[in-house]
């Protein structure tokens, strides 16, 4: 269930530019060399303010699990 919450959270981020801006500003920092660093704790906490409940491990699964991406790509075909 929590993995579904994490996926739903990212679906909302992609659909709502205002929420994505808040997410980006609160959860991401830019290094001196121009790379971006995402703080998983801040992401989980930000998602919780929107009513989504998942762990950092579940967030990793969403980020690195190809199944969700593959399902999205198949639905676009």
């Amino acid at each position: 269930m929590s993995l579904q919450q994490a996926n739903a959270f990212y679906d909302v981020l992609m659909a709502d530019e205002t929420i994505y801006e808040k997410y980006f500003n609160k959860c991401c920092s830019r290094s001196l060399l121009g790379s971006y660093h995402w703080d998983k704790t801040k992401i989980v906490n930000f998602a919780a303010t929107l009513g989504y409940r998942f762990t950092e491990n579940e967030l990793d699964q969403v980020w690195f699990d190809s199944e969700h991406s593959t399902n999205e790509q198949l639905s676009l075909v």
Side-chain angles (χ1 to χ4, degrees):
M1 177 76 173
S2 295
L3 197 53
Q4 290 172 336
Q5 290 267 313
N7 284 320
F9 169 67
Y10 274 98
D11 289 342
V12 167
L13 285 180
M14 296 303 111
D16 189 318
E17 187 176 333
T18 303
I19 293 174
Y20 183 83
E21 271 186 47
K22 290 178 185 177
Y23 161 79
F24 183 84
N25 290 331
K26 290 183 183 222
C27 303
C28 182
S29 61
R30 191 170 179 179
S31 73
L32 294 174
L33 299 175
S35 64
Y36 293 92
H37 300 279
W38 293 93
D39 186 319
K40 289 189 283 187
T41 302
K42 288 181 180 180
I43 293 169
V44 169
N45 291 337
F46 178 76
T49 67
L50 300 174
Y52 297 96
R53 303 281 186 259
F54 52 88
T55 66
E56 289 183 26
N57 288 335
E58 291 161 335
L59 180 60
D60 282 337
Q61 285 182 305
V62 169
W63 282 358
F64 301 111
D65 183 10
S66 62
E67 182 179 323
H68 183 69
S69 299
T70 302
N71 286 340
E72 283 182 3
Q73 290 171 357
L74 291 175
S75 68
L76 296 174
V77 175

